Amino acid sequence: MKCEMVTQEDVFHSMESAEKIGRKAYDELITNLRADLLMAQRALNETSQSVVITIGGVDGAGKGEVIQILNEWLDPRGLDTHSFWDMAANATDRPYQWRYWQSLPSRGRIAIWFGGMYTDPIDKYVHEKRGTEWVSEISKDIRFFENMVLKDGTIQVKIWMHLTKGAQHRRLKDLYENPQEHWRAMSDDWKHHDLYEQFSEAAEQLILFTRSREAPWHIVDASIKEWRNLTVGRLLHDAMIQAIKLEKSARPEKKAQITIPKVEKNFLAEVDLEQHLNTEVYEQALITWQGRLHRLFWEAYDRNISTVLVFEGWDAGGKGSAIKRVTAAIDARLYRIVCVAAPTPEESNYHYLWRFWNPLPRAGRITIFDRSWYGRVLVERIEKFAKEHEWKRAYEEINEFERQLTDHGTVVCKFWLHINQEKQMERFKKRLKIPYKRHKITDEDWRNREKWTQYESAVNNMIGLTNKQSAPWTIVAGNNKKFARIQILQSICQQLEGALGGQGEDH
Amino acid sequence: MKCEMVTQEDVFHSMESAEKIGRKAYDELITNLRADLLMAQRALNETSQSVVITIGGVDGAGKGEVIQILNEWLDPRGLDTHSFWDMAANATDRPYQWRYWQSLPSRGRIAIWFGGMYTDPIDKYVHEKRGTEWVSEISKDIRFFENMVLKDGTIQVKIWMHLTKGAQHRRLKDLYENPQEHWRAMSDDWKHHDLYEQFSEAAEQLILFTRSREAPWHIVDASIKEWRNLTVGRLLHDAMIQAIKLEKSARPEKKAQITIPKVEKNFLAEVDLEQHLNTEVYEQALITWQGRLHRLFWEAYDRNISTVLVFEGWDAGGKGSAIKRVTAAIDARLYRIVCVAAPTPEESNYHYLWRFWNPLPRAGRITIFDRSWYGRVLVERIEKFAKEHEWKRAYEEINEFERQLTDHGTVVCKFWLHINQEKQMERFKKRLKIPYKRHKITDEDWRNREKWTQYESAVNNMIGLTNKQSAPWTIVAGNNKKFARIQILQSICQQLEGALGGQGEDH
């Protein structure tokens, strides 16, 4: 993502000055704008695009007022307003982007974000004295997020409503001295006025680091209300028109060739599938490792360390029964299993990662994904449910998603349950004989089996491109189920011990 | 709802004793049961019914184990497990039943509730020494809830797994002394063992108060694991079969004639629609009341008092513009507007009240419903989207829902924006002339207009049957918009002042 690099002073000085508009002219302009906005909103609603409008700005610039006005101008049925302030525990409990994912508009809709992803960094910069390096880091996250959802059809309109220090003072004084509007000037506003320079500096830095061609910032002079309202309304209108055009066009920019690194290694071929455990050793090991895991998960709970377990694997690879050996060792109150199938119509109305954000574990809990976001680069790739540029860019998106998790302190363990084709056939046949397992074999399983080579290559790509030290893949030797289960239990224990031993004090 | 009244001792003594089952017989029984469960689950999935199985019981009875086993036996794709323990702030932030509504299964699915609605009351009885009267009150709530969702097709299976004190001791000792399972006996279990009598008493009382023909309790002897597992599995199977039969039958019990009290009063006719304010008075009053409301909402925020505002009214009654005058006085970070339209396919998969529980305000916040649950007894009644017995029983369900809110300390204000037919026609015509308002007039509005008399009678019924002192209706004289807006602002202020002045200290 390219950032237009300009000097710091440029940010607010390059702002177009507000113009005075007569009452009558204003009314006429607004009448037309409102009709245009509604028409655009209805057209947007028919598309698979969506719009996020972030309203930021200095105190006294009228963020709240502008949000009220947008709510008045637009059809409220296609609109949601979200503020990211004074968040309940459930937001800080999870990686910080969780709340933004929960607030994304579904296709065809508009979301107004009060301050959006910027309120928190600006506050931290001013009150916790974070430096430029920190701003640069957080900006990288924000840019990645904005760019990612943009590729999925969510247009970003980022508005910063500016007042000079003098204008801010006048605005607050006016409010304060007007007995009728006295209540609009809050004490916090005056406190922030004293910190005007620090807030401006924070905003300037963030704006500089997060403006790009794809998600530009619009600096709006808020000194004249009418001009401000008109400008914001027009910017939102432009964004909707852009979204509608995107829908109609073939989206050529999305077809741009994406090249992914070549994965030479055949990870699956290296697995020794002969490994096995006899019953006696297995039963002893099961008790040992389940006991250990049980203790570790309680310790993680005490220390607010969450865990995400991802299970992928061949059909009949033993995912289900392995998961049971893991859950048998966890208190039923601590974990949750998410079975991932084809997305529901509601889920399809969002970015493909959306449905995985919601069930992320709260502090100290465990979420077990029985199949996962890796479907994007496996079944969706092979069956062509995702277009080539979509699954190709997914590797990076997934790495970024998991980095958010591990940065938050979440332990991420990923398993591929590997078996060979002979073992699969043997298990398919066996299942057909057991009444309560028969339903597990579907036509799809037989079809998938025919695509073994394609899947093999997709799996090797997946492992090669998403195996990170903080979120490693464990390829499980699954021909012998006993061996596989112990391998999985051991692997989780080791990762948990690493997290609890090493970085525990930080949480 | 009828309760079978039995003496207290009956509860656990009437339990069928567990039987020993040989390993081989058990395996065979389980094999058959699993096949039956899966078949029933698949059939259930095709219906509009659902099942909630609550697993309660004494410590050491193996609640967690049984939940693991059910997860193993059933198809996980149609199943969710919920525990209600150590809840995050977002659960205590709202009326306590909020979490259960969030955990209801959608049509065709099964939910396993770990302890369900009973964990919390048992804990409170033992640790906070609540008395029988309290149990009786909370039981009424629970019975109402269970009965209500049952009528919507959610079958309740309530299982209490029992151990005598001696058996509990043996179980904990066995676990403790077995080095391999040592970790399964938790220190809390021993603490609870010492309180065995208190826990039993709490459970007995709750079971007595909440068992009914429609939602019976099953007391399962948990002293022999195999018998326990089989019994629980069979009870769940029976419930699914019952649900499937319900779907097929004409549900005669639902057709039972429901009589609602006759509402004689014509509330709407009593409204003086001539009331109006001139511009000057209005503008002064607007500033005054908005300022007051602003302060009150901040005070309510500081004191964690939430508010729910309900706006209903005739088409063109002025709902939208009245809501704007209210929101103009509230900090945009504090409120949320929910526009209610026809339910989405997802929403239709639940009880009709489900979609209103989710957006309830967190502590200190405001949710504004632009149309609401009253649609059930207005448009759904008139347009026959709801059957007669459905909308008739809705009055009581709605009163109970709002009682949950007000018991939690939430301020509930309900407005009907009343105008007469001439004023409606005048506004329809005016809207057609304004480009950005034209979209507001649809064919539906003209159709609704033809049903004025029917709606009038439905509105009078609604007001007569759901006007409560704690959640009162304000019928707004809406012919003059200025008058209406001030009436609404005043009314909210008065209710808030009542809540803040009177019962403030309790929150």
Side-chain angles (χ1 to χ4, degrees):
Chain A
M1 171 165 268
K2 291 160 221 116
C3 281
E4 306 161 30
M5 277 325 238
V6 289
T7 63
Q8 191 161 309
E9 298 77 58
D10 252 345
V11 172
F12 300 131
H13 289 182
S14 63
M15 170 177 77
E16 234 180 292
S17 278
E19 286 163 32
K20 278 224 160 79
I21 308 167
R23 184 78 214 166
K24 221 184 130 192
Y26 178 70
D27 284 347
E28 209 181 295
L29 288 166
I30 290 295
T31 303
N32 293 334
L33 177 59
R34 287 181 70 166
D36 290 348
L37 281 170
L38 283 170
M39 208 187 307
Q41 196 187 356
R42 272 199 298 280
L44 175 71
N45 195 244
E46 302 297 309
T47 71
S48 62
Q49 318 290 312
S50 58
V51 173
V52 170
I53 175 166
T54 293
I55 305 285
V58 305
D59 286 309
K63 297 187 285 288
E65 267 174 79
V66 164
I67 289 172
Q68 303 272 12
I69 285 167
L70 291 178
N71 269 287
E72 191 172 331
W73 289 351
L74 294 159
D75 185 339
R77 287 166 298 187
L79 180 71
D80 296 294
T81 303
H82 302 272
S83 58
F84 305 96
W85 161 78
D86 182 28
M87 299 305 291
N90 63 349
T92 52
D93 230 8
R94 299 186 177 88
Y96 83 96
Q97 286 195 359
W98 190 80
R99 62 180 95 170
Y100 305 109
W101 281 92
Q102 300 303 305
S103 308
L104 274 179
S106 61
R107 305 193 189 287
R109 294 180 66 87
I110 301 170
I112 302 178
W113 285 7
F114 195 134
M117 307 181 92
Y118 298 92
T119 303
D120 209 45
I122 290 177
D123 252 37
K124 286 210 171 100
Y125 185 90
V126 173
H127 296 297
E128 298 178 11
K129 310 236 179 288
R130 309 280 181 116
T132 304
E133 207 170 309
W134 180 82
V135 175
S136 153
E137 278 304 306
I138 197 98
S139 298
K140 246 191 258 171
D141 284 8
I142 296 177
R143 286 208 311 271
F144 192 91
F145 176 88
E146 291 178 344
N147 198 23
M148 175 171 59
V149 297
L150 174 69
K151 282 181 183 148
D152 189 56
T154 304
I155 306 276
Q156 303 282 325
V157 193
K158 302 189 291 185
I159 288 170
W160 184 263
M161 305 201 300
H162 192 63
L163 289 176
T164 61
K165 191 170 186 182
Q168 187 184 47
H169 191 265
R170 277 193 301 280
R171 176 68 55 84
L172 294 177
K173 201 158 157 275
D174 280 356
L175 285 177
Y176 192 77
E177 286 174 356
N178 180 343
Q180 300 186 325
E181 299 211 285
H182 190 165
W183 55 270
R184 288 192 195 269
M186 321 230 309
S187 65
D188 264 7
D189 291 341
W190 285 109
K191 267 186 239 156
H192 289 180
H193 179 62
D194 291 337
L195 295 168
Y196 182 90
E197 284 77 13
Q198 287 93 316
F199 274 102
S200 290
E201 193 183 295
E204 272 177 327
Q205 293 215 14
L206 266 161
I207 290 172
L208 271 169
F209 277 118
T210 59
R211 68 178 179 187
S212 63
R213 196 174 309 163
E214 297 85 354
W217 273 100
H218 305 280
I219 316 293
V220 175
D221 184 346
S223 60
I224 299 174
K225 285 184 188 183
E226 292 76 15
W227 195 85
R228 174 198 70 190
N229 298 350
L230 263 176
T231 309
V232 172
R234 283 170 174 166
L235 286 167
L236 176 56
H237 182 255
D238 292 349
M240 288 195 274
I241 298 300
Q242 186 194 342
I244 297 158
K245 275 190 192 152
L246 256 184
E247 178 84 3
K248 286 181 186 161
S249 75
R251 299 199 218 165
E253 80 291 357
K254 295 208 176 173
K255 296 241 165 117
Q257 196 67 39
I258 298 176
T259 48
I260 52 172
K262 208 167 163 60
V263 176
E264 302 284 0
K265 198 164 160 186
N266 189 333
F267 295 93
L268 297 185
E270 288 183 0
V271 178
D272 175 8
L273 287 173
E274 296 298 312
Q275 297 173 94
H276 71 281
L277 290 181
N278 66 41
T279 305
E280 204 181 329
V281 175
Y282 166 70
E283 281 178 356
Q284 188 54 50
L286 190 65
I287 295 289
T288 306
W289 289 102
Q290 283 185 335
R292 196 154 155 187
L293 193 57
H294 185 86
R295 281 192 309 277
L296 287 167
F297 273 132
W298 273 117
E299 197 182 333
Y301 172 76
D302 285 339
R303 287 167 59 185
N304 277 338
I305 295 177
S306 311
T307 304
V308 165
L309 305 178
V310 173
F311 287 88
E312 295 281 354
W314 295 108
D315 293 325
K319 251 182 327 105
S321 69
I323 289 174
K324 273 157 208 159
R325 292 337 181 270
V326 174
T327 57
I330 320 178
D331 192 296
R333 294 168 297 188
L334 292 185
Y335 73 87
R336 160 173 192 186
I337 301 183
V338 177
C339 291
V340 176
T344 65
E346 197 209 355
E347 290 166 347
S348 304
N349 258 328
Y350 292 93
H351 189 278
Y352 75 95
L353 283 175
W354 180 83
R355 63 175 172 147
F356 304 109
W357 273 90
N358 186 275
L360 288 180
R362 287 197 286 127
R365 310 306 176 94
I366 302 114
T367 301
I368 299 170
F369 288 94
D370 183 350
R371 303 203 188 277
S372 69
W373 43 94
Y374 284 102
R376 191 71 165 182
V377 295
L378 297 173
V379 58
E380 293 188 36
R381 167 182 173 175
I382 308 284
E383 301 295 339
K384 301 199 176 12
F385 301 143
K387 297 191 186 79
E388 190 175 330
H389 58 270
E390 287 176 334
W391 64 258
K392 279 192 171 171
R393 69 172 185 250
Y395 299 105
E396 199 191 349
E397 292 167 347
I398 287 172
N399 284 333
E400 178 62 19
F401 170 51
E402 293 178 359
R403 193 188 60 76
Q404 295 270 348
L405 291 175
T406 54
D407 273 7
H408 183 69
T410 303
V411 176
V412 178
C413 312
K414 306 182 290 195
F415 297 98
W416 175 263
L417 276 95
H418 187 50
I419 51 173
N420 57 21
Q421 281 178 287
E422 296 70 42
K423 183 54 80 177
Q424 188 185 53
M425 181 56 85
E426 183 188 319
R427 291 196 184 153
F428 276 11
K429 283 183 181 160
K430 206 167 148 196
R431 281 187 178 179
L432 289 173
K433 284 186 198 139
I434 305 174
Y436 58 81
K437 286 198 171 162
R438 209 168 287 153
H439 77 285
K440 283 191 160 187
I441 303 293
T442 63
D443 291 349
E444 207 184 314
D445 293 318
W446 295 104
R447 277 198 304 274
N448 288 344
R449 193 175 151 76
E450 282 167 23
K451 294 176 180 163
W452 190 279
T453 328
Q454 284 180 61
Y455 270 104
E456 202 166 27
S457 141
V459 171
N460 278 320
N461 263 329
M462 170 185 86
I463 294 171
L465 298 176
T466 63
N467 191 35
K468 302 280 160 187
Q469 203 173 356
S470 55
W473 276 104
T474 302
I475 312 176
V476 179
N479 268 18
N480 178 267
K481 282 196 174 190
K482 297 192 182 82
F483 182 88
R485 291 167 191 167
I486 300 300
Q487 190 187 355
I488 290 167
L489 288 168
Q490 278 183 328
S491 169
I492 302 173
C493 284
Q494 278 157 11
Q495 259 188 267
L496 273 172
E497 275 160 3
L500 291 165
Q503 47 163 178
E505 257 57 63
D506 292 345
H507 289 274
Chain B
M1 170 161 268
K2 292 162 220 112
C3 280
E4 307 161 30
M5 275 328 238
V6 289
T7 61
Q8 192 160 309
E9 298 76 59
D10 253 342
V11 172
F12 300 132
H13 289 182
S14 65
M15 172 177 76
E16 233 181 295
S17 278
E19 286 163 33
K20 280 225 159 76
I21 310 167
R23 185 79 216 167
K24 220 183 133 193
Y26 179 71
D27 285 347
E28 208 179 297
L29 289 166
I30 290 294
T31 303
N32 292 333
L33 178 60
R34 288 180 69 165
D36 290 348
L37 281 169
L38 284 171
M39 209 187 304
Q41 195 187 358
R42 270 200 299 280
L44 175 71
N45 194 245
E46 301 298 310
T47 73
S48 62
Q49 319 290 312
S50 58
V51 174
V52 170
I53 176 167
T54 294
I55 305 284
V58 305
D59 285 311
K63 297 187 285 288
E65 265 173 82
V66 164
I67 289 173
Q68 304 271 12
I69 284 167
L70 291 178
N71 269 288
E72 190 172 331
W73 289 353
L74 295 159
D75 185 339
R77 286 165 298 184
L79 180 72
D80 296 293
T81 302
H82 302 273
S83 58
F84 305 96
W85 160 80
D86 181 29
M87 299 303 293
N90 63 349
T92 52
D93 230 9
R94 300 187 177 86
Y96 82 97
Q97 286 194 1
W98 189 81
R99 62 180 95 170
Y100 306 110
W101 282 90
Q102 301 302 306
S103 307
L104 275 178
S106 62
R107 305 193 190 287
R109 295 180 65 87
I110 301 169
I112 301 178
W113 286 7
F114 195 134
M117 306 181 93
Y118 298 92
T119 304
D120 210 43
I122 290 177
D123 251 37
K124 287 210 170 98
Y125 186 90
V126 173
H127 296 297
E128 300 178 12
K129 310 237 179 286
R130 308 280 181 118
T132 303
E133 208 171 308
W134 180 82
V135 175
S136 154
E137 277 305 305
I138 197 98
S139 297
K140 246 192 257 170
D141 285 8
I142 296 178
R143 285 208 311 271
F144 192 92
F145 176 87
E146 290 178 346
N147 198 23
M148 175 171 59
V149 298
L150 175 69
K151 283 181 183 147
D152 190 56
T154 304
I155 306 276
Q156 304 282 327
V157 193
K158 301 190 290 187
I159 288 170
W160 184 264
M161 304 201 300
H162 192 61
L163 288 177
T164 61
K165 191 168 185 182
Q168 188 185 48
H169 190 265
R170 277 194 300 281
R171 177 68 54 84
L172 293 177
K173 201 159 158 274
D174 279 358
L175 284 177
Y176 192 76
E177 286 176 355
N178 180 342
Q180 299 188 328
E181 298 211 283
H182 190 164
W183 55 270
R184 289 194 194 266
M186 322 231 307
S187 64
D188 263 7
D189 292 341
W190 285 108
K191 268 185 240 156
H192 289 180
H193 181 62
D194 292 336
L195 295 168
Y196 182 89
E197 283 78 15
Q198 287 93 313
F199 274 103
S200 289
E201 192 182 297
E204 272 177 328
Q205 293 216 14
L206 265 161
I207 289 171
L208 270 170
F209 277 117
T210 59
R211 68 177 180 187
S212 64
R213 195 174 309 161
E214 296 86 355
W217 273 101
H218 305 281
I219 316 292
V220 174
D221 184 346
S223 61
I224 298 173
K225 285 184 188 183
E226 292 76 13
W227 196 83
R228 175 198 69 190
N229 298 349
L230 262 177
T231 309
V232 173
R234 282 169 175 167
L235 287 166
L236 176 57
H237 182 255
D238 292 349
M240 287 195 275
I241 297 300
Q242 185 193 341
I244 295 158
K245 275 188 190 151
L246 257 183
E247 177 85 2
K248 285 182 187 160
S249 76
R251 298 197 219 169
E253 79 292 355
K254 294 210 176 171
K255 295 240 166 118
Q257 195 67 40
I258 299 176
T259 49
I260 52 171
K262 207 166 163 60
V263 176
E264 301 284 359
K265 198 165 160 186
N266 188 333
F267 296 93
L268 297 186
E270 288 182 0
V271 178
D272 175 7
L273 286 173
E274 296 299 310
Q275 298 174 93
H276 71 280
L277 290 181
N278 67 42
T279 305
E280 204 181 327
V281 175
Y282 167 70
E283 281 179 356
Q284 188 55 49
L286 190 66
I287 295 289
T288 307
W289 289 102
Q290 283 185 336
R292 197 152 153 187
L293 193 59
H294 184 87
R295 281 192 308 276
L296 286 167
F297 274 132
W298 272 117
E299 197 182 331
Y301 173 77
D302 284 339
R303 287 166 60 185
N304 277 338
I305 295 176
S306 312
T307 304
V308 165
L309 304 177
V310 174
F311 287 88
E312 294 281 355
W314 296 107
D315 292 325
K319 254 184 321 109
S321 70
I323 290 174
K324 273 157 208 159
R325 287 351 179 261
V326 174
T327 55
I330 320 177
D331 192 297
R333 292 166 299 187
L334 292 185
Y335 74 86
R336 157 172 194 189
I337 301 182
V338 177
C339 292
V340 176
T344 64
E346 197 208 354
E347 290 166 347
S348 304
N349 259 328
Y350 292 92
H351 189 279
Y352 75 96
L353 284 175
W354 180 82
R355 62 175 172 146
F356 304 109
W357 273 90
N358 185 276
L360 288 180
R362 286 197 287 127
R365 310 306 176 93
I366 301 114
T367 301
I368 299 170
F369 288 95
D370 184 349
R371 305 201 187 277
S372 69
W373 42 94
Y374 284 102
R376 190 72 165 181
V377 295
L378 297 173
V379 58
E380 292 188 38
R381 166 183 174 176
I382 309 283
E383 300 294 340
K384 302 198 175 17
F385 300 145
K387 297 190 187 80
E388 190 175 329
H389 59 270
E390 288 175 335
W391 64 258
K392 278 191 171 172
R393 70 170 185 251
Y395 299 105
E396 199 192 347
E397 292 167 347
I398 287 173
N399 284 332
E400 178 62 21
F401 169 50
E402 292 179 359
R403 193 188 59 74
Q404 294 269 347
L405 291 174
T406 55
D407 273 7
H408 183 69
T410 303
V411 175
V412 178
C413 311
K414 307 183 288 195
F415 298 97
W416 175 264
L417 277 95
H418 187 50
I419 51 173
N420 57 22
Q421 281 179 285
E422 296 70 42
K423 183 54 81 177
Q424 189 184 52
M425 181 55 85
E426 183 188 319
R427 290 197 185 152
F428 276 12
K429 283 183 181 158
K430 206 166 146 196
R431 281 189 178 177
L432 290 173
K433 285 186 197 135
I434 305 175
Y436 58 82
K437 287 199 170 159
R438 210 168 286 154
H439 78 285
K440 283 191 161 186
I441 305 292
T442 63
D443 292 349
E444 208 184 314
D445 293 317
W446 295 104
R447 277 198 303 274
N448 288 345
R449 192 175 153 77
E450 283 165 22
K451 294 176 180 163
W452 191 278
T453 328
Q454 285 180 59
Y455 270 104
E456 204 166 26
S457 140
V459 172
N460 278 319
N461 263 329
M462 169 184 87
I463 293 172
L465 299 176
T466 62
N467 191 35
K468 302 282 161 187
Q469 204 174 352
S470 55
W473 275 103
T474 302
I475 312 177
V476 180
N479 267 18
N480 178 268
K481 284 196 173 187
K482 296 192 183 82
F483 182 87
R485 291 167 191 167
I486 300 300
Q487 191 187 353
I488 290 167
L489 289 169
Q490 277 182 329
S491 169
I492 302 172
C493 284
Q494 279 157 10
Q495 259 189 266
L496 274 172
E497 276 161 2
L500 291 166
Q503 49 163 181
E505 257 56 64
D506 293 345
H507 290 276

